[in-house]
Amino acid sequence: MSMTDDHTGDRPPSTGSLAHRVPDLGALELLLAVARLGSLGGAARELGITQPAASSRIRSMERQLGVALVDRSPRGSRLTDAGALVTDWARRIVEAAEAFDAGAQALRDRRDSRLRVAASMTIAEYLLPGWLIALRAERPDTAVSLLAGNSAAVTQRLLSGEADLGFVEGLTVSAGLDSAVIAHDRLIVVTAPSHAWARRRRPLAAEELAATPLILRETGSGTRQVLDAALGGPARPLIELSSTTAVKAAAVSGAGPAVLSELAVGEELAMRRLVRIPVNGIALARDLRAVWPTGHRPTGPARDLLSLTRG
């Protein structure tokens, strides 16, 4: 029986969106396969669908267009005159879609060829190296650049489009950024073994810590933000330095007490180059967060790096 029997009187909608008036790519690819193979069953097999599904898709396309496209007979499937004309148009649409797909793939390849990460100092120095080594194993062709700075600088780079993904240590996330907690950290008070605090038998009181000049990270760092909030006001600076490594070196030298991440001083504590000083009445725990511009969830290598931080 001819496939023209049940729809020659159909009228397609003349208004509405183009998507409702033009067949989808799957239907057009099926029509092209029927034209090439001369068989609806062969076209169905080539596209990995059942013959009943292929017949249904052809009938749906005929109803949508309001013309018969395929005649079926025991000798196979033959395009009608209208079907031959529609097939020529379909070929141009499919070729344009293939060009579109190739262009989109090129954009993805360009995006995936680089990753710009901005991270506050503690994360950049003590956590990111391991994550980036793991990312390298998964994406050996992705070039990664790391911009290290304080949390305020990380925020600025993300909002200005200079970085694809950021990591911060502060208590809050700036407006314009979304975030996810990836790890937890604690700040601790440390001194050189020669400092008087290293010989104390009782924990330091929070008030005494607040009154003592400290070796500190600069204003704008996540470490400084957490410390100031815990003390209920700005800590007293003995020296302000712009990196965790510099603060640690000054403390080891005996310049004075410092407040640093547990992540940063494990080796120094084990080697007794620094001593941990217990403090009562103060909470110095903090969350470490991945951050990105609001509404722009990480994709490609940025998404993969974010996944690795939670592994």
Side-chain angles (χ1 to χ4, degrees):
M1 183 178 75
S2 167
M3 290 189 67
T4 64
D5 294 347
D6 60 354
H7 44 64
T8 52
D10 291 350
R11 291 290 181 270
S14 58
T15 59
S17 71
L18 196 61
H20 289 98
R21 292 182 282 123
V22 177
D24 63 38
L25 281 174
L28 297 179
E29 287 180 314
L30 175 61
L31 183 63
L32 290 175
V34 171
R36 186 175 66 256
L37 300 172
S39 164
L40 187 62
R45 286 190 296 274
E46 181 175 275
L47 296 179
I49 61 177
T50 65
Q51 185 163 334
S55 296
S56 176
R57 187 171 291 183
I58 292 291
R59 286 195 296 270
S60 176
M61 182 163 44
E62 289 175 325
R63 286 192 297 271
Q64 185 177 23
L65 297 176
V67 295
L69 301 174
V70 177
D71 281 330
R72 291 183 62 186
S73 71
R75 296 184 300 277
S77 299
R78 181 183 64 83
L79 296 179
T80 65
D81 290 344
L85 185 58
V86 170
T87 298
D88 285 340
W89 297 336
R91 186 172 292 109
R92 292 178 225 170
I93 294 173
V94 170
E95 287 173 353
E98 289 172 344
F100 181 95
D101 181 58
Q105 182 60 52
L107 288 176
R108 289 191 295 270
D109 290 344
R110 187 171 69 180
R111 176 204 68 191
D112 293 352
S113 68
R114 66 168 188 173
L115 173 62
R116 300 167 303 165
V117 180
S120 52
M121 299 302 299
T122 300
I123 296 175
E125 292 181 90
Y126 300 100
L127 292 176
L128 260 173
W131 296 338
L132 293 180
I133 289 171
L135 181 68
R136 178 73 175 175
E138 291 188 5
R139 288 183 172 267
D141 296 327
T142 296
V144 180
S145 60
L146 173 59
L147 303 168
N150 61 34
S151 295
V154 171
T155 296
Q156 188 276 327
R157 284 177 173 138
L158 285 168
L159 295 177
S160 66
E162 297 176 60
D164 305 305
L165 183 65
F167 297 94
V168 295
E169 307 156 9
L171 292 174
T172 60
V173 174
S174 296
L177 297 181
D178 288 338
S179 70
V181 175
I182 55 161
H184 304 283
D185 186 27
R186 184 179 301 277
L187 300 181
I188 61 174
V189 179
V190 293
T191 69
S194 58
H195 193 276
W197 284 1
R199 296 184 292 277
R200 291 178 64 101
R201 296 184 177 275
R202 290 184 297 176
L204 193 69
E207 295 77 12
E208 190 172 356
L209 180 66
T212 302
L214 304 170
I215 305 169
L216 298 172
R217 287 288 309 279
E218 79 285 7
T219 300
S221 73
T223 298
R224 184 72 173 269
Q225 185 184 109
V226 172
L227 177 60
D228 288 350
L231 293 176
R236 294 185 60 189
L238 175 64
I239 313 170
E240 290 183 315
L241 299 169
S242 61
S243 76
T244 299
T245 299
V247 172
K248 184 166 58 173
V252 168
S253 73
V259 179
L260 288 164
S261 164
E262 276 187 319
L263 297 170
V265 294
E267 180 180 347
E268 285 74 19
L269 293 175
M271 300 293 292
R272 291 287 297 175
R273 292 197 293 269
L274 288 174
V275 177
R276 178 173 183 163
I277 309 301
V279 184
N280 280 341
I282 188 170
L284 292 173
R286 62 179 177 175
D287 294 328
L288 307 182
R289 297 176 180 271
V291 288
W292 57 88
T294 298
H296 295 81
R297 185 77 183 178
T299 59
R303 178 197 58 224
D304 293 348
L305 178 58
L306 181 57
S307 297
L308 289 169
T309 66
R310 298 162 169 171

